Amino acid sequence: MEIVSNPDMRSSEEAGCYVRTLQSLLRHLGTCDGNMDEGSLRCDVNVSVMKEGSKQFGTRCEIKNLNSIRYLEKAIDYEAKRQIQLLERGEKVSQETRGYNASNSTTFRLRSKEEDVDYRYFPEPDLPPLVIESGWVESIQKALGELPNAMFERFCQEYQLSRNDAAILIDTPGASEYFEKVLELSGSSPKKVFNWISVEVFRYCNEQKLSLDSPPVSTEQVASILKLIDSNVISGKIGKSVICMMFQGDKRMANEIIKEQKMEMLTDDSELESICLKVVQAHPNEVAQVKAGKERKMAHLVGQVMKQTHGKAKPDLVNKIIMKCIQNTSSPSSK
């Protein structure tokens, strides 16, 4: 399939944005995966320059087979500069086909470009004109559903996601559907769901070269982790251990995994108080610094408790208990 645009773009950034939008649309509709480096999508770009205020386009050069948006933008920038330099020297721009050299970000001549008359176009008798009824086009448009631009605006407004977060979900194949399903099943906040998908799920998918179009970890599994975190049954750290097990092939829900592995948060306050007291007693220097107002040392003490509990304690509760232990501990006597 070939798509030809009108000469409406005035910068490399605008051309790059056009291709990104087109790429997102094609992926969303399932037309192709849009992977330019694999040849699923390629771009040819016609570049011409004209003096400011002029309405007459200059002589164009076509740059063929650009296989990334970054290369497309660099090729346009170089070619525009090359043509401007020719004209400023009083030379003419030759209509020609050019290639792009990614190693030095330059374009190079391939062949001269014929005028339309030189192509000797003539009608093909076995290919009659195709007339498409407007009603058929309208029915297809209605069947397309929500398109990327509309989804982007909805994600920003309805879920209060940043424009960057919304773009990540929409530009990653399968991510927007995965996100909304996890959000629906978990009842968690949109931002928390996005963070888990964009960090944890994306990380394992990238490592294992997997796609969210056919994810190995279901939306139900991820939602089961978030439910337990939100209800304070497990910590975020334990949740990360659980999703790691899921990506290693465990098909169970989070509650089954943590029950078998005994990963639930500590609920026995007396046990936690005992651990905190031992940590305070074992680190008198840090305790003295906390008393002297160096609050950063508190993080070290909390970390020690989290280490001993294997991440099963609530950090805010640990912080309160440690502070209580410190207040009940007399300062070490000076020599």
Side-chain angles (χ1 to χ4, degrees):
M1 179 174 64
E2 182 171 351
I3 299 174
V4 181
S5 67
N6 287 322
D8 294 330
M9 286 163 258
R10 296 293 180 267
S11 69
S12 60
E13 291 81 6
E14 192 175 356
C17 183
Y18 172 86
V19 176
R20 287 188 186 91
T21 302
L22 178 61
Q23 186 180 51
S24 176
L25 181 61
L26 294 174
R27 284 172 171 169
H28 182 82
L29 296 175
T31 304
C32 74
D33 59 27
N35 295 334
M36 298 184 71
D37 58 329
E38 297 175 0
S40 303
L41 178 65
R42 291 290 175 92
C43 293
D44 300 338
V45 55
N46 285 286
V47 179
S48 67
V49 298
M50 59 183 175
K51 291 184 178 180
E52 187 175 358
S54 174
K55 294 183 180 180
Q56 182 66 41
F57 289 116
T59 301
R60 72 181 185 275
C61 292
E62 183 179 20
I63 309 169
K64 301 289 288 186
N65 291 322
L66 296 162
N67 65 353
S68 84
I69 295 174
R70 183 165 62 92
Y71 289 165
L72 175 140
E73 293 177 343
K74 286 187 173 183
I76 292 172
D77 288 338
Y78 175 84
E79 182 58 23
K81 184 177 179 180
R82 184 189 73 86
Q83 293 184 22
I84 291 171
Q85 290 175 342
L86 284 174
L87 296 174
E88 288 179 341
R89 292 197 301 264
E91 301 176 38
K92 291 184 178 180
V93 176
S94 299
Q95 184 168 321
E96 58 190 13
T97 300
R98 300 180 68 84
Y100 176 70
N101 187 335
S103 63
N104 59 12
S105 302
T106 62
T107 64
F108 57 92
R109 185 179 185 278
L110 292 173
R111 59 184 178 273
S112 62
K113 186 80 172 177
E114 301 94 339
E115 297 293 341
D116 288 348
V117 67
D118 294 325
Y119 280 103
R120 292 182 171 83
Y121 293 123
F122 60 90
E124 168 55 63
D126 294 329
L127 293 175
L130 178 63
V131 179
I132 301 175
E133 296 181 358
S134 60
W136 185 50
V137 174
E138 291 173 2
S139 67
I140 293 175
Q141 288 177 331
K142 291 178 181 178
L144 290 177
E146 188 178 37
L147 296 181
N149 283 351
M151 183 178 290
F152 174 82
E153 295 299 332
R154 182 169 65 83
F155 278 18
C156 291
Q157 295 176 15
E158 182 177 338
Y159 301 136
Q160 296 296 298
L161 294 177
S162 70
R163 298 181 70 83
N164 183 65
D165 291 353
I168 289 172
L169 290 175
I170 292 168
D171 291 343
T172 305
S176 59
E177 295 86 352
Y178 198 90
F179 164 79
E180 291 205 285
K181 191 64 176 177
V182 173
L183 185 64
E184 176 189 353
L185 293 171
S186 68
S188 193
S189 71
K191 182 61 178 177
K192 179 180 284 188
V193 173
F194 169 80
N195 287 341
W196 268 82
I197 292 175
S198 63
V199 177
E200 299 303 322
V201 176
F202 280 12
R203 175 162 63 91
Y204 288 111
C205 283
N206 290 336
E207 288 177 357
Q208 300 177 24
K209 294 181 170 56
L210 302 170
S211 168
L212 284 181
D213 286 326
S214 53
V217 174
S218 70
T219 53
E220 289 81 5
Q221 286 180 291
V222 176
S224 71
I225 295 174
L226 291 172
K227 283 182 178 179
L228 294 179
I229 293 174
D230 288 344
S231 58
N232 291 319
V233 175
I234 61 174
S235 65
K237 183 178 180 180
I238 293 174
K240 292 177 183 180
S241 298
V242 172
I243 200 170
C244 178
M245 297 169 67
M246 290 176 173
F247 270 98
Q248 289 174 348
D250 197 322
K251 298 300 181 183
R252 295 175 296 172
M253 296 296 124
N255 59 322
E256 298 175 75
I257 295 174
I258 66 165
K259 185 175 181 180
E260 180 190 273
Q261 299 291 327
K262 297 180 179 179
M263 302 169 79
E264 298 97 332
M265 298 283 279
L266 283 177
T267 55
D268 188 339
D269 288 351
S270 61
E271 181 182 357
L272 186 57
E273 288 174 0
S274 175
I275 294 172
C276 289
L277 181 59
K278 289 178 181 178
V279 167
V280 168
Q281 291 173 342
H283 297 82
N285 291 334
E286 285 80 1
V287 169
Q289 291 181 63
V290 170
K291 286 185 173 182
K294 295 182 180 180
E295 297 181 358
R296 287 183 297 178
K297 290 297 179 179
M298 189 68 175
H300 175 76
L301 298 174
V302 173
Q304 292 300 309
V305 173
M306 297 304 292
K307 183 177 180 180
Q308 291 193 29
T309 61
H310 304 288
K312 295 181 182 180
K314 301 175 186 177
D316 55 343
L317 179 58
V318 170
N319 195 86
K320 291 179 181 177
I321 295 176
I322 288 178
M323 185 56 70
K324 181 180 178 181
C325 290
I326 290 175
Q327 290 171 350
N328 294 335
T329 304
S330 58
S331 301
S333 57
S334 56
K335 295 182 180 180

